[in-house]
Amino acid sequence: MTYTRADSAYDHLWMHFTRMSSYRDTPPPMIVRGDGAYIYDSEGRRYLDGLSGLFVVQAGHGREELAEAAAKQARELAYFPLWSYAHPAAVELADRLAGYAPGDLNKVFFTTGGGEAVETAWKAAKQYFKLVGKPGKYKVISRAVAYHGTPQGALSITGIPDAKIAFEPLVPGAHKVPNTNFYRAAEMSGVPSLGEDEAVFGRWAADQVEQAILMEGPDTVAAVFVEPVQNSGGCFTPPPGYFERLREICDSHDVLLVSDEVICAFGRLGTMFGAQRYGYQPDIITCAKGMTSGYSPIGAAILSDRIAAPFYEDTKMFAHGYTFGGHPVSASVALANLDIFEREGLNQHVLDNQAAFRATLEKLRDLPIVGDVRGDGYFYGIELVKDKATKATFDEEEAERLLRGFLSGALFEAGLYCRADDRGDPVIQVAPPLICEQEQFDEIESVLRDVLTRAGALL
Ligand code: PLP
């Protein structure tokens, strides 16, 4: 029977990235069921899942075949580690992921989630350079406001000061460069003309990576970590030529290009991997979330043959692993999830519907509070501003009152689960399940229009 006593959450359930004091007197919303693009709370109210849980539930909720895959695997072999032993689900999944991944990304190292995949990629990069006789290369360049996870290595390369300060000192060697926020290109760079031409801005943004490598010393830099589309800050898409230039820079300084696709893989952008959408070849891809559509946790770092080669020699090994990495149940669910992708053409569905999704969200631009609408595929950020003409953003008090005090709750009450995020300038994040169509796009637009209009009146 479903446990519905949400009021005991405050006493015992320490929720993630949550101000627990908000739930001292009022219980948190309790989500008890999902079906397709919708979730239901303990009172029976229905909400459109506008964030796919947390960028996870690609195939939608309530998929019988994914539950079946989990049950079947649990009956057959519930658990075995990948420490010197293999199991069929992990071997098959690795084989399949290598087949989908671009170029020679053929070696799959399983984790239980995204942060561990990022840790794995950084550790692999460090050891790779030790193995090939360049032991001084250990540093990572990543971008401002980017989120890469909460383990201390992943947190170090995260570019959100508020998420890090409490845990300092963190892992040394993490350096930040500007992201690809074209909406604020002029103010971010201090060069007004960069706000006029996206390709010129893209060149500038990529060159900042090279500047950082040169400043730190190419002999000390192991990797650059970037998302295909940066989530934090609100869907910063890559300007034309950005990844091409980044690849050149990485090659010329012998630095690994790591594509953190914890959000962008598995159809979020209409391709199996985000790098494929923008046509670049990473040395390592990190992924997690959508691999099972959330029916069981798993993540992976997918490495190129070239990076893996020195680890595969005689007595060498990657001294790294997780008890639950590549868990049989999760691996079986991932396989069944990939079957759904194939059978239902989920990537093609996103490609076919992305223009309609964009056009529907773009309608919101007529609201005075909406400064920018940006993204690709089924992955959008709507930046909110105080003054559209000057792009002025909110001060701390206004952000608190508007975002935390009003928006998230009001959207939810109006039947849309999504997120008001202020880790950079304030944005509403929208990333619905990949099965969504015009009916859901309209529903998202209509709730956002109503709630953002009311938010504008509060200013
Ligand atoms: N990398 C990116 C780009 C993410 O968006 C996230 C989580 O949102 C992570 C890493 C961390 O993943 P996890 O929460 O599964 O550890």
Side-chain angles (χ1 to χ4, degrees):
M1 211 180 82
T2 309
Y3 186 84
T4 51
R5 279 204 50 221
D7 54 343
S8 83
Y10 177 76
D11 295 329
H12 303 297
L13 178 68
W14 200 337
M15 292 154 75
H16 301 205
F17 283 105
T18 300
R19 292 178 180 182
M20 287 307 294
S21 62
S22 356
Y23 295 124
R24 190 184 297 123
D25 303 318
T26 331
M30 186 102 117
I31 305 303
V32 297
R33 190 169 74 80
D35 183 15
Y38 296 90
I39 49 173
Y40 296 80
D41 71 10
S42 47
E43 311 293 313
R45 278 189 296 256
R46 186 180 97 145
Y47 306 85
L48 175 57
D49 183 357
L51 205 60
S52 305
L54 205 50
F55 311 97
V56 167
V57 190
Q58 316 297 69
H61 297 272
R63 289 279 193 166
E64 199 52 47
E65 61 269 57
L66 298 184
E68 264 311 309
K72 183 167 177 286
Q73 181 64 56
R75 276 188 220 108
E76 217 164 272
L77 175 72
Y79 174 73
F80 215 76
L82 294 177
W83 302 42
S84 299
Y85 292 81
H87 55 75
V91 179
E92 187 181 348
L93 181 59
D95 186 3
R96 235 162 127 185
L97 291 175
Y100 289 127
D104 69 338
L105 297 194
N106 286 319
K107 301 288 191 281
V108 182
F109 192 100
F110 286 117
T111 66
T112 64
E116 286 179 359
V118 170
E119 292 290 310
T120 298
W122 190 1
K123 287 177 77 175
K126 280 176 157 178
Q127 193 179 344
Y128 165 76
F129 282 114
K130 287 194 169 58
L131 290 172
V132 299
K134 296 184 176 182
K137 281 169 92 70
Y138 68 95
K139 295 178 185 170
V140 164
I141 312 287
S142 61
R143 301 187 295 192
V145 198
Y147 180 78
H148 293 287
T150 49
Q152 295 200 47
L155 190 59
S156 304
I157 68 173
T158 287
I160 305 167
D162 282 354
K164 300 163 65 166
I165 286 162
F167 311 106
E168 285 176 336
L170 288 166
V171 179
H175 297 271
K176 306 293 170 300
V177 292
N179 53 45
T180 59
N181 181 356
F182 182 57
Y183 181 65
R184 296 195 179 275
E187 73 189 70
M188 190 166 75
S189 64
V191 184
S193 61
L194 285 182
E196 287 154 23
D197 184 326
E198 206 174 348
V200 177
F201 169 63
R203 174 80 190 197
W204 175 87
D207 285 348
Q208 299 308 299
V209 175
E210 183 159 50
Q211 287 303 317
I213 293 172
L214 293 172
M215 283 277 287
E216 291 304 316
D219 292 346
T220 71
V221 180
V224 174
F225 278 64
V226 284
E227 290 167 86
V229 173
Q230 180 175 320
N231 172 48
S232 262
C235 280
F236 302 136
T237 52
Y242 178 78
F243 277 115
E244 211 178 332
R245 178 78 188 115
L246 213 54
R247 185 66 266 179
E248 261 172 34
I249 291 166
C250 288
D251 287 343
S252 70
H253 298 292
D254 197 10
V255 165
L256 306 186
L257 179 55
V258 181
S259 192
D260 183 355
E261 308 207 1
V262 168
I263 289 180
C264 291
F266 307 110
R268 183 56 50 206
L269 299 169
T271 45
M272 214 42 120
F273 291 100
Q276 289 155 333
R277 167 122 195 178
Y278 302 111
Y280 63 94
Q281 180 60 47
D283 298 295
I284 305 177
I285 284 178
T286 52
C287 55
K289 295 186 185 271
M291 199 189 307
T292 60
S293 284
Y295 286 69
S296 193
I298 194 167
I302 310 177
L303 301 93
S304 71
D305 288 330
R306 178 177 76 92
I307 306 305
F311 292 88
Y312 276 55
E313 279 173 20
D314 49 61
T315 59
K316 304 288 189 305
M317 72 162 169
F318 187 24
H320 178 68
Y322 300 100
T323 298
F324 290 133
H327 192 284
V329 171
S330 301
S332 286
V333 173
L335 286 166
N337 186 47
L338 292 171
D339 288 344
I340 293 177
F341 267 76
E342 296 288 354
R343 201 170 55 243
E344 299 183 10
L346 281 189
N347 287 321
Q348 192 56 47
H349 182 79
V350 171
L351 295 176
D352 291 345
N353 288 280
Q354 59 182 356
F357 188 38
R358 178 191 293 275
T360 308
L361 293 178
E362 288 271 354
K363 289 189 206 161
L364 295 165
R365 281 187 186 273
D366 65 357
L367 298 177
I369 197 173
V370 171
D372 199 18
V373 176
R374 53 185 181 246
D376 264 333
Y378 275 22
F379 186 26
Y380 274 82
I382 296 160
E383 180 162 341
L384 307 181
V385 289
K386 195 156 84 173
D387 183 326
K388 214 164 173 145
T390 61
K391 300 185 182 176
T393 190
F394 310 96
D395 62 30
E396 185 48 40
E397 184 276 324
E398 289 162 334
E400 178 70 33
R401 187 157 47 86
L402 194 73
L403 291 172
R404 293 173 214 118
F406 174 72
L407 267 178
S408 295
L411 288 166
F412 194 64
E413 269 166 38
L416 175 63
Y417 163 74
C418 65
R419 194 157 76 157
D421 186 44
D422 66 343
R423 289 175 296 179
D425 294 311
V427 287
I428 306 277
Q429 299 174 329
V430 190
L434 309 185
I435 51 169
C436 286
E437 299 186 339
Q438 191 62 50
E439 186 187 338
Q440 286 78 37
F441 304 159
D442 288 338
E443 206 175 324
I444 291 171
E445 195 269 341
S446 150
V447 173
L448 285 174
R449 176 168 297 281
D450 165 45
V451 173
L452 290 177
T453 303
R454 287 193 274 138
L458 291 177
L459 282 175

